Amino acid sequence: QVQLVESGGGLVQAGGSLRLSCAASGRTFSIYDMGWFRQAPGKEREFVARISRISFSTYYSDSVKGRFTISRDNAKNTVYLQMNSLKPEDTAVYYCAADPPGGTDFEYWGQGTQVTVSS
């Protein structure tokens, strides 16, 4: 099992940047694929980005591709989401999640961090 804590959210103007961090407890962080999701008010949670545990392959939703970058530092048990060229429609609560090996979906979730982009 792993516990996840996000940080780095805040208020930023359109066109600005933020870097989110997600710190994981436990010594098995490296075995998990990690992901970022977001949920805007009145909308369903949506996938943002994913990074694999072995090859560090990355995947992005079309809405953030080219603007956001997911990365991980297994020595620090941390996954990051660098967000550039932010738009008002990026406003949401951002969650990190862990997908265990052999699992069928992301099973562990953080509490979320608010990102607000003003126009």
Side-chain angles (χ1 to χ4, degrees):
Q1 194 169 1
V2 62
Q3 286 78 46
L4 305 172
V5 179
E6 303 95 336
S7 62
L11 174 64
V12 64
Q13 289 188 333
S17 298
L18 281 175
R19 188 176 82 154
L20 305 183
S21 299
C22 173
S25 64
R27 57 184 175 86
T28 58
F29 172 76
S30 61
I31 72 172
Y32 296 96
D33 284 4
M34 298 299 296
W36 285 96
F37 293 75
R38 66 187 182 186
Q39 187 167 19
K43 295 187 177 181
E44 293 187 353
R45 185 172 60 197
E46 66 172 352
F47 167 79
V48 174
R50 179 187 185 114
I51 185 165
S52 68
R53 67 186 183 276
I54 296 176
S55 63
F56 287 18
S57 298
T58 57
Y59 310 88
Y60 299 92
S61 67
D62 288 343
S63 62
V64 307
K65 196 173 297 181
R67 300 187 298 123
F68 291 10
T69 302
I70 188 171
S71 62
R72 65 190 296 164
D73 185 338
N74 286 349
K76 296 183 178 180
N77 283 7
T78 302
V79 61
Y80 304 98
L81 185 68
Q82 178 66 44
M83 306 186 295
N84 298 329
S85 302
L86 282 161
K87 305 175 181 180
E89 51 263 44
D90 294 319
T91 295
V93 177
Y94 283 71
Y95 300 90
C96 73
D99 181 6
T104 59
D105 204 349
F106 289 91
E107 296 185 10
Y108 304 105
W109 295 83
Q111 83 290 347
T113 186
Q114 176 71 46
V115 171
T116 303
V117 184
S118 63
S119 57

